[in-house]
């Protein structure tokens, strides 16, 4: 049985991914895309996941299962069936240079956040004072959802194991943490803790709307949801989405040449002029929605 803590952490660490501008997909309501042409002998597929969703809201269309089964290898954002993944993640969970929440936050902000964790989550952040702010923030997602959670990545790993397929990663754990750490600990604390607490009720409402539109597979609606989010940040989007998308494209090209591949990545990476779909098209691939 999969380690639930492992999937809990990796699914929530990037729960703040938000959705870029739509590019050439106005009438296409799908989370699954076929990649063909440009020298590929067989098509590959990319599916947009959401990293945290209620079990009752979870859905996986039969066509996705079919294309998953037809693919010869599975790639997620990172190698999630690697038994050393949690050990690797633990290397990067603590703030560098002896920083703590008290040293990077104003006293009023620290007290406000600490009170929220104590009152709402029954957690004393003093015992986790050296953890990076986004790790602490990720711990609030179960409360924000208010339901038993399901991870698409966990389901895909289980499916791969049943089909005796190895799961691999488009990038390293360190690369994901670096993308978040580029903003600095102070900005992490402000965006992911202070603003989260200040906008808690609004954030819960925004998340419900996002999940509703995800279930509709309506990327345009998701765009509107996220560009108006109370925690939207342009620099964060560039580090966490645009730069990683650009890094993935040559890796995907090499991978797809080897074998027909099923890619499962956060849906926020698919849309926009700098999203995976548009970047693949610019490289000469034919990318079309699969209904």
């Amino acid at each position: 049985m999969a380690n639930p803590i492992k999937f809990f952490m990796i699914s929530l660490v990037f729960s703040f991914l938000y959705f870029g501008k739509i590019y050439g997909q106005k009438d296409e309501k799908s989370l699954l895309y076929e990649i063909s042409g440009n020298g590929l002998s067989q098509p590959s597929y990319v599916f947009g996941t959401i990293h945290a969703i209620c079990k009752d809201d979870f859905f996986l269309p039969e066509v996705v299962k079919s294309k998953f089964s037809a693919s010869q290898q599975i790639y997620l954002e990172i190698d999630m069936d690697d038994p050393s993944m949690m050990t690797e993640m633990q290397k990067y969970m603590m703030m560098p240079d002896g920083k703590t929440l008290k040293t990077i936050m104003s006293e009023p902000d620290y007290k406000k956040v600490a009170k929220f964790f104590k009152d709402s989550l029954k957690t004393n952040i003093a015992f986790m004072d050296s953890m990076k702010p986004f790790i602490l923030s990720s711990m609030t997602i179960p409360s924000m959802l208010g339901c038993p959670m399901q991870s698409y990545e966990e389901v895909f790993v289980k499916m791969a194991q049943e089909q005796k397929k190895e799961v691999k990663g488009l990038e390293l754990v360190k690369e994901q943490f670096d993308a978040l750490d580029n903003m600095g600990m102070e900005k992490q604390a402000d965006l992911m803790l202070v603003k989260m607490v200040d906008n808690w009720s609004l954030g819960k409402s925004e998340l419900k709307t996002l999940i509703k539109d995800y279930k509709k597979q309506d990327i345009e609606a998701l765009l509107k949801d996220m560009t108006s989010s109370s925690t939207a940040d342009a620099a964060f989007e560039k580090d966490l989405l645009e730069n990683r998308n650009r890094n993935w494209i040559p890796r995907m090209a090499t991978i797809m040449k080897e074998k027909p591949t099923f890619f499962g990545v956060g849906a926020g990476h698919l849309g926009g002029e700098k999203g995976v779909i548009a970047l693949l098209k610019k490289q000469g691939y034919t990318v079309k929605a699969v209904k």
Side-chain angles (χ1 to χ4, degrees):
M1 182 177 179
N3 182 341
I5 297 177
K6 176 174 74 173
F7 289 106
F8 173 82
M9 289 304 302
I10 196 61
S11 295
L12 297 187
V13 161
F14 298 96
S15 59
F16 296 91
L17 291 178
Y18 46 87
F19 294 74
K21 295 180 180 178
I22 303 310
Y23 183 72
Q25 299 164 188
K26 290 186 177 181
D27 297 321
E28 298 176 332
K29 293 184 179 180
S30 179
L31 298 169
L32 179 68
Y33 290 82
E34 179 187 89
I35 308 164
S36 62
N38 201 20
L40 295 181
S41 58
Q42 299 181 64
S44 288
Y45 298 89
V46 59
F47 176 78
T49 68
I50 185 169
H51 296 307
I53 191 169
C54 294
K55 285 186 176 182
D56 288 345
D57 290 321
F58 180 88
F59 70 101
L60 194 62
E62 288 301 319
V63 67
V64 177
K65 297 177 184 178
S66 173
K67 300 307 182 184
F68 185 101
S69 297
S71 300
Q72 295 180 20
Q73 58 184 358
I74 311 302
Y75 270 79
L76 302 179
E77 292 183 21
I78 62 172
D79 185 352
M80 291 188 62
D81 68 353
D82 182 351
S84 67
M85 189 189 73
M86 274 303 296
T87 300
E88 184 69 11
M89 289 183 67
Q90 288 169 356
K91 295 179 183 178
Y92 308 109
M93 288 183 178
M94 310 306 287
M95 285 189 276
D97 306 320
K99 291 183 177 180
T100 67
L101 291 179
K102 286 186 176 180
T103 66
I104 65 171
M105 300 171 68
S106 69
E107 185 175 354
D109 282 345
Y110 178 85
K111 288 182 177 179
K112 175 170 58 180
V113 171
K115 185 177 188 302
F116 174 84
F117 270 72
K118 181 180 179 181
D119 294 346
S120 300
L121 307 177
K122 311 304 179 186
T123 301
N124 186 346
I125 63 170
F127 296 119
M128 302 176 287
D129 199 40
S130 297
M131 282 189 172
K132 291 177 180 177
F134 79 85
I135 295 292
L136 294 174
S137 186
S138 73
M139 296 177 182
T140 70
I141 301 301
S143 179
M144 182 169 282
L145 280 172
C147 60
M149 296 190 311
Q150 180 67 69
S151 161
Y152 277 87
E153 288 77 9
E154 182 176 6
V155 169
F156 286 148
V157 168
K158 183 178 180 181
M159 288 170 60
Q161 291 171 343
E162 291 172 348
Q163 297 175 24
K164 302 188 184 306
K165 296 174 181 177
E166 183 180 359
V167 173
K168 300 179 181 179
L170 274 172
E171 62 189 0
L172 302 174
V173 169
K174 184 179 185 301
E175 291 178 293
Q176 285 202 341
F177 275 78
D178 285 346
L180 280 161
D181 291 346
N182 282 342
M183 73 171 64
M185 296 299 106
E186 290 80 4
K187 189 171 183 179
Q188 267 193 34
D190 180 62
L191 180 66
M192 299 181 180
L193 290 178
V194 179
K195 287 186 177 179
M196 178 199 68
V197 171
D198 287 342
N199 296 281
W200 180 253
S201 295
L202 177 59
K204 290 179 69 173
S205 176
E206 290 173 345
L207 183 57
K208 287 181 180 179
T209 300
L210 186 147
I211 291 173
K212 179 180 178 181
D213 290 330
Y214 181 83
K215 291 172 66 177
K216 293 178 181 179
Q217 304 188 57
D218 190 337
I219 300 179
E220 280 198 280
L222 288 167
L223 166 66
K224 183 180 291 186
D225 297 339
M226 300 314 299
T227 53
S228 60
S229 169
S230 56
T231 56
D233 181 87
F236 184 38
E237 179 179 359
K238 184 174 182 180
D239 285 332
L240 205 57
L241 293 178
E242 294 177 9
N243 292 343
R244 292 169 70 212
N245 293 345
R246 186 176 61 250
N247 292 339
W248 288 352
I249 299 305
R251 301 177 190 182
M252 291 177 72
T254 299
I255 291 164
M256 291 186 294
K257 284 182 180 180
E258 297 171 352
K259 296 177 182 178
T261 306
F262 182 96
F263 298 95
V265 301
H269 292 281
L270 298 185
E273 295 182 13
K274 298 179 182 179
V276 167
I277 293 172
L279 294 177
L280 286 170
K281 288 180 177 179
K282 288 177 181 178
Q283 292 298 312
Y285 294 98
T286 298
V287 186
K288 63 181 183 180
V290 179
K291 305 297 184 179

